[in-house]
Amino acid sequence: MRLLSIAFIILFPFTSQARKFYISSSTGNDSRTATQAQNIATPWQSLQKVEQWANTPGNAQPGDTFAFKRGDVFTNGYSWYSSFHWMNYAPEGYQMPSGTQANPIVLTNYGTGDLPNFLYPATTIPSNADRNVISLVS
């Protein structure tokens, strides 16, 4: 039996399990940990928190999902172009979070009601062409 268990572990290596993080501007709290944010009852609150956490090397993993609560409004709280900036390349050797073809990083929604609304404050950047709440660059 022991030999069978060892063979199973060798033949079927463990892989990291995909995680789902919840974000709600109405019920979230950015002081929560990443483990807490994986519970629908204890989401993060802002795009800034998601970006700060996800862009810290080693945090976001292929297969992770970020779910935004339906009916909530998410706004850009930064003074630059986007609150949630995701690059699929590494400028100056910095490793950015990335999915893989088999395990993409997913942005989605949860709950009921209208889809999440992403707004950019009109006073932050003068040009409409430069306003982004979420920016994905490959």
Side-chain angles (χ1 to χ4, degrees):
M1 182 67 172
R2 186 175 179 185
L3 184 57
L4 182 60
S5 296
I6 292 171
F8 182 78
I9 291 171
I10 292 171
L11 293 175
F12 300 99
F14 291 99
T15 58
S16 62
Q17 197 161 10
R19 302 166 298 175
K20 187 172 191 176
F21 300 93
Y22 296 92
I23 305 98
S24 170
S25 63
S26 62
T27 63
N29 185 322
D30 284 345
S31 66
R32 293 180 177 139
T33 66
T35 300
Q36 291 171 316
Q38 292 175 65
N39 183 325
I40 198 168
T42 55
W44 281 325
Q45 183 174 33
S46 70
L47 294 170
Q48 297 91 325
K49 175 64 177 187
V50 175
E51 180 180 45
Q52 176 190 23
W53 182 85
N55 286 329
T56 299
N59 281 353
Q61 299 295 320
D64 283 349
T65 295
F66 296 90
F68 298 91
K69 187 175 181 184
R70 286 177 162 260
D72 279 3
V73 176
F74 297 90
T75 60
N76 184 337
Y78 285 145
S79 59
W80 55 76
Y81 297 108
S82 64
S83 283
F84 189 77
H85 190 73
W86 208 293
M87 292 181 282
N88 210 19
Y89 62 91
E92 301 174 20
Y94 182 74
Q95 179 142 2
M96 301 300 286
S98 179
T100 64
Q101 187 171 0
N103 294 301
I105 292 177
V106 176
L107 303 180
T108 190
N109 62 78
Y110 72 98
T112 59
D114 293 336
L115 289 172
N117 195 353
F118 298 92
L119 297 177
Y120 201 100
T123 58
T124 308
I125 301 293
S127 167
N128 284 337
D130 292 331
R131 293 186 189 144
N132 299 296
V133 175
I134 297 176
S135 175
L136 305 173
V137 181
S138 62

